[in-house]
Amino acid sequence: MSETQLNTLKPAAGSHPARRRVGRGIGSGFGKTAGRGHKGQKSRTGGFHKVGFEGGQMPLQRRLPKRGFTAMNQHLSAEVRLSDLERLPVDQVDVQVLKQAGVIGQAVRYVKVIKSGELSRKVVLSGISATAGARSAIEAAGGSLA
């Protein structure tokens, strides 16, 4: 059994096939046109075009209309209904309380209360804005916005 030395290491047989040498005569099987076929842009040296090129025809990505946009701050703000505030078990409400209750998402930073539903109990909001109708409904129920 012979020990393998670092200076005798070789790749496994067949793992590195020989490089294809094109344009080296008829006997190689890749002579004359070197496997590029006859004529045309792809047979020429440097004859390549960008992805999506359609031979000068207006490419698909330019034929279709531009559509849609997702704002980066889309998920930073949220709206909360008066009926959502009614269901909360606490009277002091801020953004963190709404997140813990699952009313708003975890990424939300700005919350606005809208007048939708009924509010029959006192609720004190802090760090939360409200529409004019929601503000009057909250104050009518004895609550306030801090």
Side-chain angles (χ1 to χ4, degrees):
M1 185 168 152
S2 65
E3 281 191 38
T4 306
Q5 301 293 321
L6 285 176
N7 63 343
T8 61
L9 288 176
K10 288 185 177 180
S15 66
H16 282 273
R19 186 171 59 93
R20 180 188 293 171
R21 300 181 68 223
V22 298
R24 291 294 183 274
I26 197 169
S28 69
F30 291 99
K32 192 181 170 219
T33 55
R36 289 172 174 256
H38 292 278
K39 297 187 181 174
Q41 186 176 16
K42 289 166 78 175
S43 72
R44 317 280 188 210
T45 305
F48 204 73
H49 43 71
K50 63 184 177 186
V51 176
F53 184 71
E54 297 184 21
Q57 172 177 297
M58 188 63 68
L60 183 68
Q61 75 270 20
R62 290 190 59 197
R63 291 197 302 266
L64 298 176
K66 293 199 283 187
R67 187 172 177 281
F69 173 77
T70 304
M72 290 178 69
N73 62 354
Q74 178 181 2
H75 304 291
L76 293 180
S77 59
E79 293 177 347
V80 176
R81 300 184 182 95
L82 289 174
S83 55
D84 294 333
L85 296 179
E86 180 73 32
R87 277 185 258 131
L88 290 175
V90 293
D91 295 334
Q92 298 282 338
V93 179
D94 61 358
V95 178
Q96 199 60 40
V97 170
L98 294 173
K99 285 181 183 180
Q100 288 172 349
V103 177
I104 60 173
Q106 293 298 319
V108 173
R109 291 189 194 165
Y110 311 107
V111 179
K112 192 167 203 173
V113 179
I114 58 172
K115 187 181 179 190
S116 175
E118 298 294 321
L119 184 65
S120 59
R121 63 188 187 83
K122 178 183 173 184
V123 175
V124 178
L125 302 180
S126 58
I128 298 174
S129 60
T131 62
R135 181 183 292 270
S136 62
I138 291 167
E139 290 169 351
S144 65
L145 280 89

